[in-house]
Amino acid sequence: QVQLVESGGGLVQAGGSLRLSCAASGSLFSINAMGWYRQAPGKQRELVATITSGGNTNYADSVKGRFTISRDNAKNTVYLQMNSLKPEDTAVYYCNAELDPGLLRYMYYWGKGTLVTVSS
């Protein structure tokens, strides 16, 4: 079975920084894109940032210049460095990965989420 486990969430003051990590484990054949999404209370889940296996990145406009996504392919891990955090960044952050669990086709997997709370 494949698991995505996030870590690094917590409470931080506005202007502060946090670094999220997400490690994929289990029956992995290959991983294509990985990314971070977030869901604030009462709102739909939205894309934060994605990164391909080759390192190409994409960011939501709301986080450009403040957040940086990266990955370590050897560790099957994706990171999200969040700087200059704002109260509106408060949300549950979910890791997502497009991977082949050994079935010769790619599937999407989600982590259980980690809560980020930014106080004003």
Side-chain angles (χ1 to χ4, degrees), residues 31-101:
I31 303 177
N32 193 9
M34 301 184 80
W36 291 94
Y37 291 71
R38 67 186 181 186
Q39 187 166 16
K43 295 188 176 181
Q44 289 187 331
R45 191 173 298 188
E46 62 176 5
L47 180 146
V48 176
T50 61
I51 184 168
T52 67
S53 58
N56 293 319
T57 59
N58 180 53
Y59 295 92
D61 288 343
S62 59
V63 307
K64 282 181 181 177
R66 300 188 297 122
F67 291 10
T68 302
I69 189 170
S70 61
R71 64 190 283 174
D72 184 334
N73 291 331
K75 295 181 179 180
N76 295 328
T77 299
V78 63
Y79 306 96
L80 185 68
Q81 178 66 43
M82 305 185 293
N83 299 328
S84 302
L85 282 160
K86 305 175 180 180
E88 50 263 44
D89 294 317
T90 295
V92 177
Y93 283 71
Y94 296 91
C95 174
N96 173 269
E98 181 188 20
L99 60 88
D100 177 3

Short mmCIF file of all heavy atoms in Angstrom, two decimals, residues 31-101:
data_model
loop_
_atom_site.label_atom_id
_atom_site.label_comp_id
_atom_site.label_asym_id
_atom_site.label_seq_id
_atom_site.Cartn_x
_atom_site.Cartn_y
_atom_site.Cartn_z
N ILE A 31 7.29 7.95 -9.28
CA ILE A 31 6.48 9.11 -8.91
C ILE A 31 6.63 10.17 -9.97
O ILE A 31 7.76 10.51 -10.35
CB ILE A 31 6.89 9.68 -7.54
CG1 ILE A 31 6.79 8.60 -6.46
CG2 ILE A 31 5.99 10.86 -7.18
CD1 ILE A 31 7.25 9.07 -5.09
N ASN A 32 5.53 10.68 -10.44
CA ASN A 32 5.57 11.75 -11.42
C ASN A 32 5.48 13.09 -10.67
O ASN A 32 6.40 13.48 -9.96
CB ASN A 32 4.45 11.58 -12.43
CG ASN A 32 4.64 12.48 -13.65
OD1 ASN A 32 5.68 13.11 -13.81
ND2 ASN A 32 3.63 12.54 -14.49
N ALA A 33 4.39 13.77 -10.77
CA ALA A 33 4.26 15.07 -10.10
C ALA A 33 3.90 14.89 -8.63
O ALA A 33 3.26 13.92 -8.24
CB ALA A 33 3.20 15.91 -10.78
N MET A 34 4.34 15.84 -7.81
CA MET A 34 3.96 15.92 -6.42
C MET A 34 3.52 17.35 -6.15
O MET A 34 3.93 18.28 -6.86
CB MET A 34 5.11 15.55 -5.48
CG MET A 34 5.64 14.15 -5.71
SD MET A 34 6.93 13.67 -4.54
CE MET A 34 5.90 13.22 -3.12
N GLY A 35 2.69 17.52 -5.14
CA GLY A 35 2.21 18.87 -4.89
C GLY A 35 1.58 19.05 -3.54
O GLY A 35 1.44 18.10 -2.77
N TRP A 36 1.24 20.31 -3.29
CA TRP A 36 0.58 20.69 -2.05
C TRP A 36 -0.72 21.41 -2.38
O TRP A 36 -0.76 22.27 -3.28
CB TRP A 36 1.47 21.60 -1.21
CG TRP A 36 2.66 20.91 -0.64
CD1 TRP A 36 3.92 20.85 -1.18
CD2 TRP A 36 2.71 20.17 0.57
NE1 TRP A 36 4.74 20.11 -0.37
CE2 TRP A 36 4.03 19.68 0.72
CE3 TRP A 36 1.78 19.87 1.57
CZ2 TRP A 36 4.42 18.91 1.81
CZ3 TRP A 36 2.17 19.11 2.65
CH2 TRP A 36 3.48 18.65 2.77
N TYR A 37 -1.76 21.06 -1.65
CA TYR A 37 -3.05 21.72 -1.74
C TYR A 37 -3.43 22.14 -0.32
O TYR A 37 -2.86 21.65 0.64
CB TYR A 37 -4.11 20.76 -2.30
CG TYR A 37 -3.90 20.42 -3.77
CD1 TYR A 37 -2.85 19.60 -4.17
CD2 TYR A 37 -4.75 20.92 -4.75
CE1 TYR A 37 -2.64 19.29 -5.51
CE2 TYR A 37 -4.56 20.61 -6.09
CZ TYR A 37 -3.50 19.80 -6.45
OH TYR A 37 -3.31 19.49 -7.78
N ARG A 38 -4.38 23.03 -0.23
CA ARG A 38 -4.84 23.44 1.10
C ARG A 38 -6.35 23.68 1.10
O ARG A 38 -6.93 23.99 0.07
CB ARG A 38 -4.11 24.70 1.57
CG ARG A 38 -4.42 25.96 0.78
CD ARG A 38 -3.52 27.10 1.25
NE ARG A 38 -3.82 28.34 0.53
CZ ARG A 38 -3.10 29.46 0.66
NH1 ARG A 38 -2.03 29.48 1.47
NH2 ARG A 38 -3.43 30.55 -0.02
N GLN A 39 -6.91 23.53 2.28
CA GLN A 39 -8.34 23.75 2.45
C GLN A 39 -8.58 24.53 3.74
O GLN A 39 -8.29 24.02 4.82
CB GLN A 39 -9.11 22.43 2.47
CG GLN A 39 -10.62 22.61 2.46
CD GLN A 39 -11.35 21.32 2.15
OE1 GLN A 39 -10.78 20.24 2.22
NE2 GLN A 39 -12.61 21.43 1.77
N ALA A 40 -9.07 25.73 3.58
CA ALA A 40 -9.40 26.56 4.73
C ALA A 40 -10.83 26.26 5.16
O ALA A 40 -11.63 25.75 4.37
CB ALA A 40 -9.26 28.03 4.36
N PRO A 41 -11.17 26.56 6.41
CA PRO A 41 -12.54 26.29 6.89
C PRO A 41 -13.59 26.96 6.01
O PRO A 41 -13.50 28.15 5.70
CB PRO A 41 -12.53 26.90 8.30
CG PRO A 41 -11.11 26.84 8.72
CD PRO A 41 -10.32 27.10 7.47
N GLY A 42 -14.55 26.17 5.58
CA GLY A 42 -15.64 26.70 4.77
C GLY A 42 -15.30 26.94 3.33
O GLY A 42 -16.12 27.49 2.58
N LYS A 43 -14.11 26.55 2.91
CA LYS A 43 -13.69 26.80 1.52
C LYS A 43 -13.32 25.49 0.84
O LYS A 43 -13.10 24.47 1.48
CB LYS A 43 -12.50 27.76 1.48
CG LYS A 43 -12.83 29.15 1.98
CD LYS A 43 -11.67 30.09 1.74
CE LYS A 43 -12.02 31.51 2.16
NZ LYS A 43 -10.88 32.45 1.91
N GLN A 44 -13.26 25.54 -0.50
CA GLN A 44 -12.87 24.36 -1.25
C GLN A 44 -11.35 24.17 -1.21
O GLN A 44 -10.59 25.11 -0.99
CB GLN A 44 -13.32 24.52 -2.71
CG GLN A 44 -14.82 24.44 -2.90
CD GLN A 44 -15.21 24.43 -4.37
OE1 GLN A 44 -14.51 24.99 -5.21
NE2 GLN A 44 -16.32 23.78 -4.69
N ARG A 45 -10.94 22.94 -1.44
CA ARG A 45 -9.51 22.65 -1.51
C ARG A 45 -8.94 23.35 -2.74
O ARG A 45 -9.54 23.32 -3.82
CB ARG A 45 -9.28 21.15 -1.58
CG ARG A 45 -7.84 20.73 -1.41
CD ARG A 45 -7.69 19.22 -1.33
NE ARG A 45 -8.41 18.68 -0.18
CZ ARG A 45 -8.32 17.41 0.21
NH1 ARG A 45 -7.54 16.56 -0.46
NH2 ARG A 45 -8.99 16.97 1.25
N GLU A 46 -7.77 23.96 -2.57
CA GLU A 46 -7.16 24.68 -3.68
C GLU A 46 -5.69 24.30 -3.84
O GLU A 46 -5.03 23.91 -2.88
CB GLU A 46 -7.25 26.19 -3.45
CG GLU A 46 -6.53 26.70 -2.23
CD GLU A 46 -6.58 28.21 -2.09
OE1 GLU A 46 -7.26 28.87 -2.91
OE2 GLU A 46 -5.94 28.73 -1.16
N LEU A 47 -5.21 24.43 -5.05
CA LEU A 47 -3.81 24.14 -5.33
C LEU A 47 -2.92 25.21 -4.72
O LEU A 47 -3.23 26.40 -4.79
CB LEU A 47 -3.59 24.07 -6.85
CG LEU A 47 -2.18 23.79 -7.34
CD1 LEU A 47 -2.23 22.95 -8.61
CD2 LEU A 47 -1.40 25.05 -7.59
N VAL A 48 -1.82 24.76 -4.13
CA VAL A 48 -0.81 25.69 -3.62
C VAL A 48 0.41 25.68 -4.54
O VAL A 48 0.83 26.73 -5.04
CB VAL A 48 -0.38 25.31 -2.19
CG1 VAL A 48 0.74 26.22 -1.71
CG2 VAL A 48 -1.57 25.37 -1.24
N ALA A 49 0.96 24.49 -4.77
CA ALA A 49 2.14 24.38 -5.62
C ALA A 49 2.32 22.94 -6.06
O ALA A 49 1.93 22.01 -5.35
CB ALA A 49 3.39 24.85 -4.87
N THR A 50 2.90 22.78 -7.24
CA THR A 50 3.23 21.45 -7.74
C THR A 50 4.64 21.43 -8.29
O THR A 50 5.19 22.49 -8.64
CB THR A 50 2.26 20.99 -8.85
OG1 THR A 50 2.35 21.90 -9.94
CG2 THR A 50 0.83 20.92 -8.35
N ILE A 51 5.20 20.24 -8.36
CA ILE A 51 6.55 20.07 -8.91
C ILE A 51 6.60 18.74 -9.65
O ILE A 51 6.13 17.72 -9.14
CB ILE A 51 7.62 20.17 -7.80
CG1 ILE A 51 9.02 20.09 -8.41
CG2 ILE A 51 7.41 19.10 -6.73
CD1 ILE A 51 10.12 20.47 -7.41
N THR A 52 7.16 18.77 -10.85
CA THR A 52 7.28 17.54 -11.63
C THR A 52 8.53 16.78 -11.22
O THR A 52 9.37 17.28 -10.46
CB THR A 52 7.36 17.86 -13.13
OG1 THR A 52 8.61 18.54 -13.38
CG2 THR A 52 6.20 18.72 -13.57
N SER A 53 8.66 15.57 -11.73
CA SER A 53 9.84 14.78 -11.42
C SER A 53 11.10 15.45 -11.94
O SER A 53 12.19 15.23 -11.41
CB SER A 53 9.70 13.37 -12.01
OG SER A 53 9.50 13.45 -13.41
N GLY A 54 10.96 16.28 -12.96
CA GLY A 54 12.10 16.99 -13.52
C GLY A 54 12.39 18.31 -12.85
O GLY A 54 13.36 19.00 -13.21
N GLY A 55 11.54 18.70 -11.89
CA GLY A 55 11.79 19.92 -11.13
C GLY A 55 11.04 21.15 -11.60
O GLY A 55 11.24 22.25 -11.07
N ASN A 56 10.15 21.00 -12.58
CA ASN A 56 9.35 22.15 -13.02
C ASN A 56 8.28 22.44 -11.97
O ASN A 56 7.61 21.53 -11.48
CB ASN A 56 8.69 21.87 -14.37
CG ASN A 56 9.71 21.77 -15.48
OD1 ASN A 56 10.66 22.54 -15.53
ND2 ASN A 56 9.53 20.82 -16.38
N THR A 57 8.13 23.71 -11.63
CA THR A 57 7.22 24.10 -10.56
C THR A 57 6.09 24.99 -11.05
O THR A 57 6.21 25.65 -12.08
CB THR A 57 7.98 24.84 -9.45
OG1 THR A 57 8.61 26.00 -10.01
CG2 THR A 57 9.04 23.95 -8.82
N ASN A 58 5.02 24.97 -10.27
CA ASN A 58 3.85 25.81 -10.55
C ASN A 58 3.28 26.25 -9.21
O ASN A 58 3.22 25.45 -8.27
CB ASN A 58 2.80 25.01 -11.33
CG ASN A 58 1.57 25.83 -11.64
OD1 ASN A 58 1.67 26.91 -12.19
ND2 ASN A 58 0.40 25.34 -11.26
N TYR A 59 2.91 27.54 -9.13
CA TYR A 59 2.42 28.08 -7.86
C TYR A 59 1.09 28.81 -8.05
O TYR A 59 0.84 29.42 -9.09
CB TYR A 59 3.42 29.09 -7.28
CG TYR A 59 4.74 28.51 -6.88
CD1 TYR A 59 5.81 28.47 -7.76
CD2 TYR A 59 4.92 27.99 -5.60
CE1 TYR A 59 7.03 27.94 -7.40
CE2 TYR A 59 6.15 27.46 -5.21
CZ TYR A 59 7.19 27.44 -6.12
OH TYR A 59 8.40 26.91 -5.75
N ALA A 60 0.28 28.78 -7.01
CA ALA A 60 -0.89 29.64 -6.99
C ALA A 60 -0.42 31.09 -6.88
O ALA A 60 0.61 31.37 -6.23
CB ALA A 60 -1.77 29.29 -5.80
N ASP A 61 -1.15 32.01 -7.49
CA ASP A 61 -0.74 33.41 -7.46
C ASP A 61 -0.62 33.92 -6.03
O ASP A 61 0.23 34.77 -5.74
CB ASP A 61 -1.76 34.26 -8.22
CG ASP A 61 -1.68 34.05 -9.73
OD1 ASP A 61 -0.64 33.53 -10.21
OD2 ASP A 61 -2.64 34.40 -10.43
N SER A 62 -1.46 33.41 -5.14
CA SER A 62 -1.49 33.92 -3.77
C SER A 62 -0.23 33.58 -2.97
O SER A 62 0.00 34.19 -1.92
CB SER A 62 -2.72 33.36 -3.04
OG SER A 62 -2.68 31.95 -3.03
N VAL A 63 0.56 32.63 -3.45
CA VAL A 63 1.75 32.23 -2.69
C VAL A 63 3.06 32.50 -3.44
O VAL A 63 4.14 32.29 -2.88
CB VAL A 63 1.69 30.75 -2.28
CG1 VAL A 63 0.40 30.45 -1.54
CG2 VAL A 63 1.86 29.83 -3.48
N LYS A 64 2.97 32.97 -4.67
CA LYS A 64 4.18 33.23 -5.45
C LYS A 64 5.07 34.24 -4.73
O LYS A 64 4.60 35.25 -4.23
CB LYS A 64 3.81 33.76 -6.83
CG LYS A 64 3.36 32.69 -7.80
CD LYS A 64 3.02 33.29 -9.16
CE LYS A 64 2.53 32.23 -10.13
NZ LYS A 64 2.14 32.79 -11.44
N GLY A 65 6.35 33.92 -4.68
CA GLY A 65 7.31 34.80 -4.02
C GLY A 65 7.43 34.57 -2.52
O GLY A 65 8.34 35.09 -1.88
N ARG A 66 6.52 33.79 -1.96
CA ARG A 66 6.57 33.51 -0.51
C ARG A 66 6.81 32.03 -0.22
O ARG A 66 7.48 31.69 0.75
CB ARG A 66 5.26 33.93 0.16
CG ARG A 66 4.93 35.39 0.01
CD ARG A 66 3.71 35.78 0.86
NE ARG A 66 2.50 35.08 0.46
CZ ARG A 66 1.78 34.30 1.28
NH1 ARG A 66 2.15 34.14 2.53
NH2 ARG A 66 0.67 33.72 0.85
N PHE A 67 6.26 31.16 -1.05
CA PHE A 67 6.39 29.71 -0.85
C PHE A 67 7.32 29.12 -1.90
O PHE A 67 7.36 29.58 -3.04
CB PHE A 67 5.04 29.02 -0.97
CG PHE A 67 4.06 29.32 0.13
CD1 PHE A 67 4.29 30.31 1.08
CD2 PHE A 67 2.88 28.59 0.23
CE1 PHE A 67 3.38 30.57 2.08
CE2 PHE A 67 1.96 28.84 1.22
CZ PHE A 67 2.21 29.85 2.14
N THR A 68 8.05 28.08 -1.50
CA THR A 68 8.92 27.37 -2.43
C THR A 68 8.72 25.87 -2.27
O THR A 68 8.83 25.33 -1.16
CB THR A 68 10.40 27.70 -2.18
OG1 THR A 68 10.60 29.11 -2.29
CG2 THR A 68 11.29 26.98 -3.19
N ILE A 69 8.40 25.21 -3.38
CA ILE A 69 8.25 23.76 -3.37
C ILE A 69 9.53 23.13 -3.90
O ILE A 69 10.17 23.65 -4.81
CB ILE A 69 7.02 23.33 -4.20
CG1 ILE A 69 6.74 21.83 -4.00
CG2 ILE A 69 7.21 23.66 -5.68
CD1 ILE A 69 5.40 21.38 -4.60
N SER A 70 9.90 22.01 -3.29
CA SER A 70 11.08 21.28 -3.75
C SER A 70 10.85 19.80 -3.46
O SER A 70 9.91 19.43 -2.76
CB SER A 70 12.35 21.78 -3.04
OG SER A 70 12.25 21.59 -1.63
N ARG A 71 11.72 18.96 -3.99
CA ARG A 71 11.58 17.53 -3.75
C ARG A 71 12.93 16.85 -3.76
O ARG A 71 13.89 17.32 -4.37
CB ARG A 71 10.65 16.89 -4.79
CG ARG A 71 11.13 16.92 -6.20
CD ARG A 71 10.04 16.50 -7.18
NE ARG A 71 9.84 15.06 -7.21
CZ ARG A 71 8.88 14.44 -7.89
NH1 ARG A 71 8.00 15.19 -8.59
NH2 ARG A 71 8.77 13.13 -7.89
N ASP A 72 12.97 15.73 -3.06
CA ASP A 72 14.14 14.86 -3.04
C ASP A 72 13.68 13.53 -3.60
O ASP A 72 13.02 12.75 -2.90
CB ASP A 72 14.66 14.72 -1.60
CG ASP A 72 15.94 13.92 -1.51
OD1 ASP A 72 16.18 13.07 -2.40
OD2 ASP A 72 16.70 14.12 -0.55
N ASN A 73 13.99 13.28 -4.84
CA ASN A 73 13.51 12.06 -5.50
C ASN A 73 14.07 10.80 -4.86
O ASN A 73 13.40 9.77 -4.84
CB ASN A 73 13.86 12.10 -6.99
CG ASN A 73 13.07 13.16 -7.74
OD1 ASN A 73 11.95 13.50 -7.37
ND2 ASN A 73 13.66 13.70 -8.80
N ALA A 74 15.27 10.88 -4.34
CA ALA A 74 15.87 9.71 -3.70
C ALA A 74 15.11 9.32 -2.44
O ALA A 74 15.10 8.15 -2.05
CB ALA A 74 17.33 9.97 -3.39
N LYS A 75 14.49 10.31 -1.80
CA LYS A 75 13.76 10.05 -0.56
C LYS A 75 12.25 10.02 -0.77
O LYS A 75 11.48 9.90 0.19
CB LYS A 75 14.09 11.12 0.48
CG LYS A 75 15.54 11.11 0.93
CD LYS A 75 15.79 12.19 1.99
CE LYS A 75 17.23 12.17 2.47
NZ LYS A 75 17.49 13.22 3.50
N ASN A 76 11.81 10.19 -2.03
CA ASN A 76 10.36 10.23 -2.33
C ASN A 76 9.64 11.25 -1.45
O ASN A 76 8.55 11.00 -0.94
CB ASN A 76 9.72 8.85 -2.14
CG ASN A 76 10.25 7.83 -3.12
OD1 ASN A 76 10.60 8.15 -4.26
ND2 ASN A 76 10.33 6.58 -2.69
N THR A 77 10.27 12.40 -1.30
CA THR A 77 9.77 13.42 -0.39
C THR A 77 9.64 14.76 -1.10
O THR A 77 10.50 15.13 -1.91
CB THR A 77 10.71 13.56 0.82
OG1 THR A 77 10.77 12.30 1.51
CG2 THR A 77 10.22 14.63 1.78
N VAL A 78 8.55 15.46 -0.78
CA VAL A 78 8.33 16.80 -1.30
C VAL A 78 8.24 17.74 -0.11
O VAL A 78 7.76 17.36 0.96
CB VAL A 78 7.06 16.86 -2.17
CG1 VAL A 78 5.80 16.54 -1.37
CG2 VAL A 78 6.93 18.21 -2.86
N TYR A 79 8.75 18.95 -0.31
CA TYR A 79 8.79 19.95 0.75
C TYR A 79 8.04 21.21 0.31
O TYR A 79 7.93 21.50 -0.88
CB TYR A 79 10.23 20.33 1.08
CG TYR A 79 11.11 19.16 1.42
CD1 TYR A 79 11.91 18.57 0.45
CD2 TYR A 79 11.14 18.64 2.71
CE1 TYR A 79 12.73 17.49 0.75
CE2 TYR A 79 11.95 17.56 3.02
CZ TYR A 79 12.74 16.98 2.04
OH TYR A 79 13.54 15.91 2.34
N LEU A 80 7.58 21.97 1.29
CA LEU A 80 7.00 23.28 1.01
C LEU A 80 7.55 24.25 2.06
O LEU A 80 7.20 24.15 3.24
CB LEU A 80 5.48 23.25 1.07
CG LEU A 80 4.80 24.56 0.66
CD1 LEU A 80 5.01 24.82 -0.84
CD2 LEU A 80 3.31 24.52 0.99
N GLN A 81 8.43 25.12 1.61
CA GLN A 81 8.96 26.16 2.48
C GLN A 81 8.02 27.36 2.38
O GLN A 81 7.82 27.91 1.29
CB GLN A 81 10.37 26.55 2.05
CG GLN A 81 10.98 27.68 2.87
CD GLN A 81 11.23 27.30 4.30
OE1 GLN A 81 11.71 26.21 4.59
NE2 GLN A 81 10.88 28.18 5.24
N MET A 82 7.47 27.75 3.52
CA MET A 82 6.49 28.84 3.55
C MET A 82 7.07 30.00 4.36
O MET A 82 7.32 29.85 5.55
CB MET A 82 5.18 28.35 4.16
CG MET A 82 4.60 27.13 3.47
SD MET A 82 2.99 26.66 4.11
CE MET A 82 3.43 26.15 5.77
N ASN A 83 7.28 31.11 3.70
CA ASN A 83 7.80 32.31 4.35
C ASN A 83 6.76 33.43 4.30
O ASN A 83 5.81 33.37 3.52
CB ASN A 83 9.09 32.77 3.65
CG ASN A 83 10.19 31.74 3.71
OD1 ASN A 83 10.29 30.99 4.67
ND2 ASN A 83 11.02 31.70 2.67
N SER A 84 6.99 34.44 5.12
CA SER A 84 6.08 35.61 5.15
C SER A 84 4.63 35.16 5.26
O SER A 84 3.76 35.64 4.52
CB SER A 84 6.29 36.46 3.90
OG SER A 84 7.62 36.89 3.79
N LEU A 85 4.37 34.27 6.17
CA LEU A 85 3.03 33.71 6.30
C LEU A 85 2.02 34.76 6.73
O LEU A 85 2.33 35.69 7.49
CB LEU A 85 3.04 32.55 7.29
CG LEU A 85 3.60 31.24 6.71
CD1 LEU A 85 4.03 30.30 7.82
CD2 LEU A 85 2.57 30.58 5.81
N LYS A 86 0.81 34.59 6.21
CA LYS A 86 -0.29 35.51 6.50
C LYS A 86 -1.44 34.74 7.15
O LYS A 86 -1.55 33.52 6.94
CB LYS A 86 -0.80 36.13 5.19
CG LYS A 86 0.26 36.83 4.37
CD LYS A 86 -0.31 37.30 3.05
CE LYS A 86 0.73 38.00 2.19
NZ LYS A 86 0.18 38.46 0.89
N PRO A 87 -2.29 35.41 7.89
CA PRO A 87 -3.44 34.71 8.50
C PRO A 87 -4.29 33.98 7.45
O PRO A 87 -4.82 32.91 7.76
CB PRO A 87 -4.22 35.85 9.16
CG PRO A 87 -3.18 36.85 9.51
CD PRO A 87 -2.19 36.80 8.37
N GLU A 88 -4.37 34.50 6.25
CA GLU A 88 -5.16 33.84 5.22
C GLU A 88 -4.51 32.56 4.69
O GLU A 88 -5.11 31.85 3.89
CB GLU A 88 -5.47 34.80 4.05
CG GLU A 88 -4.25 35.51 3.49
CD GLU A 88 -4.08 36.91 4.07
OE1 GLU A 88 -4.24 37.06 5.31
OE2 GLU A 88 -3.76 37.83 3.29
N ASP A 89 -3.30 32.27 5.11
CA ASP A 89 -2.66 31.00 4.77
C ASP A 89 -3.11 29.87 5.70
O ASP A 89 -2.75 28.70 5.49
CB ASP A 89 -1.13 31.11 4.82
CG ASP A 89 -0.58 32.05 3.77
OD1 ASP A 89 -1.05 32.00 2.62
OD2 ASP A 89 0.34 32.83 4.11
N THR A 90 -3.86 30.22 6.73
CA THR A 90 -4.36 29.21 7.66
C THR A 90 -5.24 28.21 6.94
O THR A 90 -6.21 28.58 6.27
CB THR A 90 -5.15 29.88 8.79
OG1 THR A 90 -4.27 30.71 9.56
CG2 THR A 90 -5.80 28.84 9.69
N ALA A 91 -4.89 26.93 7.08
CA ALA A 91 -5.61 25.88 6.38
C ALA A 91 -5.02 24.53 6.75
O ALA A 91 -3.95 24.46 7.37
CB ALA A 91 -5.52 26.06 4.86
N VAL A 92 -5.71 23.48 6.35
CA VAL A 92 -5.11 22.15 6.37
C VAL A 92 -4.41 21.95 5.03
O VAL A 92 -5.02 22.15 3.98
CB VAL A 92 -6.17 21.05 6.58
CG1 VAL A 92 -5.51 19.67 6.54
CG2 VAL A 92 -6.89 21.26 7.91
N TYR A 93 -3.15 21.59 5.10
CA TYR A 93 -2.34 21.42 3.89
C TYR A 93 -2.22 19.93 3.59
O TYR A 93 -1.83 19.14 4.45
CB TYR A 93 -0.96 22.04 4.09
CG TYR A 93 -1.00 23.55 3.97
CD1 TYR A 93 -1.59 24.32 4.96
CD2 TYR A 93 -0.46 24.21 2.87
CE1 TYR A 93 -1.66 25.71 4.86
CE2 TYR A 93 -0.51 25.58 2.75
CZ TYR A 93 -1.12 26.32 3.75
OH TYR A 93 -1.17 27.70 3.64
N TYR A 94 -2.54 19.59 2.35
CA TYR A 94 -2.54 18.20 1.91
C TYR A 94 -1.45 17.98 0.86
O TYR A 94 -1.29 18.78 -0.06
CB TYR A 94 -3.88 17.83 1.30
CG TYR A 94 -5.04 17.88 2.26
CD1 TYR A 94 -5.80 19.03 2.41
CD2 TYR A 94 -5.38 16.76 3.03
CE1 TYR A 94 -6.87 19.09 3.29
CE2 TYR A 94 -6.45 16.80 3.91
CZ TYR A 94 -7.19 17.96 4.03
OH TYR A 94 -8.24 18.01 4.90
N CYS A 95 -0.79 16.86 0.99
CA CYS A 95 0.19 16.43 0.00
C CYS A 95 -0.51 15.56 -1.04
O CYS A 95 -1.42 14.78 -0.71
CB CYS A 95 1.28 15.63 0.71
SG CYS A 95 2.50 14.87 -0.36
N ASN A 96 -0.08 15.70 -2.27
CA ASN A 96 -0.65 14.92 -3.36
C ASN A 96 0.49 14.39 -4.22
O ASN A 96 1.48 15.10 -4.44
CB ASN A 96 -1.57 15.82 -4.20
CG ASN A 96 -2.08 15.13 -5.45
OD1 ASN A 96 -1.46 15.21 -6.51
ND2 ASN A 96 -3.20 14.45 -5.33
N ALA A 97 0.34 13.17 -4.69
CA ALA A 97 1.36 12.59 -5.57
C ALA A 97 0.71 11.79 -6.68
O ALA A 97 -0.26 11.05 -6.43
CB ALA A 97 2.31 11.71 -4.77
N GLU A 98 1.25 11.95 -7.86
CA GLU A 98 0.84 11.14 -9.02
C GLU A 98 1.89 10.05 -9.16
O GLU A 98 3.03 10.33 -9.51
CB GLU A 98 0.78 12.01 -10.27
CG GLU A 98 0.35 11.26 -11.52
CD GLU A 98 0.48 12.10 -12.78
OE1 GLU A 98 1.24 13.09 -12.76
OE2 GLU A 98 -0.18 11.77 -13.78
N LEU A 99 1.52 8.83 -8.86
CA LEU A 99 2.53 7.78 -8.84
C LEU A 99 2.00 6.46 -9.38
O LEU A 99 0.79 6.24 -9.46
CB LEU A 99 3.08 7.62 -7.42
CG LEU A 99 2.09 7.23 -6.32
CD1 LEU A 99 1.96 5.72 -6.22
CD2 LEU A 99 2.52 7.80 -4.98
N ASP A 100 2.93 5.61 -9.73
CA ASP A 100 2.62 4.26 -10.19
C ASP A 100 2.91 3.30 -9.05
O ASP A 100 4.07 3.11 -8.68
CB ASP A 100 3.48 3.93 -11.41
CG ASP A 100 3.27 2.51 -11.91
OD1 ASP A 100 2.43 1.77 -11.35
OD2 ASP A 100 3.97 2.12 -12.87
N PRO A 101 1.89 2.67 -8.49
CA PRO A 101 2.11 1.75 -7.37
C PRO A 101 2.47 0.34 -7.83
O PRO A 101 2.25 -0.63 -7.11
CB PRO A 101 0.74 1.76 -6.68
CG PRO A 101 -0.23 1.96 -7.80
CD PRO A 101 0.47 2.85 -8.79
#
